[in-house]
Amino acid sequence: MKNATILLVIGTRCPERELAARLEEARSLSAHIAILVVGEAPWNPATDYAAGVVDIQTWMELTATVKTELKAMAERAERQLQQHDISGDVTTRLCERTAIASAVVRRALVCDFAFIGQDLRETSPGLFREAVYGVLFHSPAGVLLNDLSTASALSPRHVFIAWNTGLEAGRAVHQALPLLCGADEVTIATFDPVMAEYQDGENPGSDVAKWLSHHGCNVRVEQYPGGGKEIGTAILERSNEGGADLIVMGAYGHSRLRESVFGGTTRTLIEQTDKAVFLAH
């Protein structure tokens, strides 16, 4: 992960300690950090014109407030980049919630992976979800969530890979390869694998373990029964039992609509906040 370009998406209320922690971690890896400060534009009253509800003055005042907050956060981020002596840049984007994903994608296209700030999860859940979806569905980068829940998500000691033979899992492992190569231990975990040639293979996980071993990773393979539990819950429990400090997983093997309605593994891993997780689609 040395010399990587890291996208950090934050809101206007990102605490200085949260930003400082990420900058220090990036500095230790000689990384360049691209900070994108996003703000949600107030609802445009022109859309309510037909209903006769038009309050341009209020809309202008609210918009000015958000712009002021964006500028102030950008200035704080610039100062912290200088204080931590780290290569980086800061941009801001004010747009409606539905356009946040596009704004994030424009920056993610030329980054190795993305952090989505915890402040967005806590203060603007809608923006948080759109930022995550933007990176996952419309960029070549992976996304790292809950990175501050561990000592160093960029230099994990034990990585737990939730593996299946899906394309999403393969992409996640490829994109996380620099993290895997730097770890002391990598666990390849399969859950309720189908041991057939055209399913998960006769020895599920052994193929990716062999490939990672060629890269110098210290790998072990574990095949777990689901025990009737939701797979996302099983992944969290098993990774905790093994002392893993980062989970790597492919995201949305099922459709996003299906998971939003019925729940699913990806939704479980995104919504939890206790374990650092690297996701790719």
Side-chain angles (χ1 to χ4, degrees):
M1 198 55 68
K2 196 172 182 65
N3 298 321
T5 297
I6 302 169
L7 173 63
L8 171 58
V9 184
I10 60 175
T12 58
R13 300 177 185 177
C14 181
E16 288 195 10
R17 63 182 182 279
E18 181 177 324
L19 182 55
R22 290 194 174 92
L23 294 184
E24 274 301 299
E25 193 170 23
R27 186 171 67 85
S28 69
L29 298 173
S30 301
H32 178 92
I33 189 156
I35 302 174
L36 174 62
V37 188
V38 295
E40 184 172 1
W43 184 257
N44 191 333
T47 60
D48 292 328
Y49 182 78
V53 182
V54 180
D55 188 350
I56 296 296
Q57 184 62 37
T58 299
W59 174 75
M60 291 177 62
E61 291 173 355
L62 291 173
T63 300
T65 297
V66 179
K67 286 182 177 179
T68 299
E69 292 173 347
L70 282 170
K71 181 180 179 181
M73 185 66 242
E75 291 174 348
R76 292 198 297 272
E78 290 278 9
R79 287 196 297 270
Q80 285 199 269
L81 283 173
Q82 295 176 5
Q83 292 169 3
H84 291 269
D85 190 25
I86 182 173
S87 172
D89 60 83
V90 183
T91 55
T92 63
R93 187 63 189 270
L94 173 65
C95 51
E96 294 180 358
R97 182 178 302 181
T98 54
I100 290 294
S102 297
V104 172
V105 169
R106 290 290 298 272
R107 300 295 288 122
L109 288 175
V110 289
C111 294
D112 293 283
F113 69 94
F115 285 134
I116 309 297
Q118 187 68 16
D119 68 297
L120 277 183
R121 183 197 291 274
E122 294 173 354
T123 63
S124 304
L127 296 188
F128 174 82
R129 288 191 297 270
E130 289 303 314
V132 171
Y133 296 154
V135 175
L136 287 179
F137 287 102
H138 303 292
S139 88
V143 61
L144 208 162
L145 304 176
N146 306 325
D147 54 293
L148 299 181
S149 65
T150 185
S152 178
L154 294 181
S155 302
R157 297 182 301 275
H158 181 186
V159 181
F160 186 94
I161 299 175
W163 177 254
N164 58 31
T165 54
L167 177 60
E168 297 81 12
R171 285 175 174 160
V173 173
H174 274 268
Q175 292 177 17
L177 189 57
L179 299 174
L180 303 177
C181 289
D184 296 332
E185 182 179 1
V186 176
T187 297
I188 309 294
T190 62
F191 293 82
D192 292 330
V194 180
M195 297 182 183
E197 181 180 358
Y198 295 106
Q199 293 291 325
D200 295 315
E202 296 180 358
N203 188 14
S206 61
D207 49 357
V208 68
K210 182 177 180 180
W211 173 60
L212 289 176
S213 295
H214 286 312
H215 280 280
C217 298
N218 177 27
V219 185
R220 64 187 179 95
V221 177
E222 297 286 352
Q223 297 165 0
Y224 297 112
K229 296 180 179 179
E230 193 270 321
I231 295 300
T233 300
I235 290 171
L236 291 169
E237 290 180 353
R238 294 296 188 177
S239 64
N240 284 328
E241 289 172 4
D245 44 16
L246 176 67
I247 295 171
V248 171
M249 190 185 81
Y252 292 107
H254 298 296
S255 73
R256 173 180 166 186
L257 176 61
R258 173 177 169 176
E259 291 221 9
S260 66
V261 175
F262 299 105
T265 303
T266 306
R267 181 175 171 181
T268 297
L269 270 293
I270 289 177
E271 291 182 350
Q272 62 85 33
T273 58
D274 296 325
K275 180 71 70 174
V277 56
F278 183 95
L279 298 169
H281 180 76

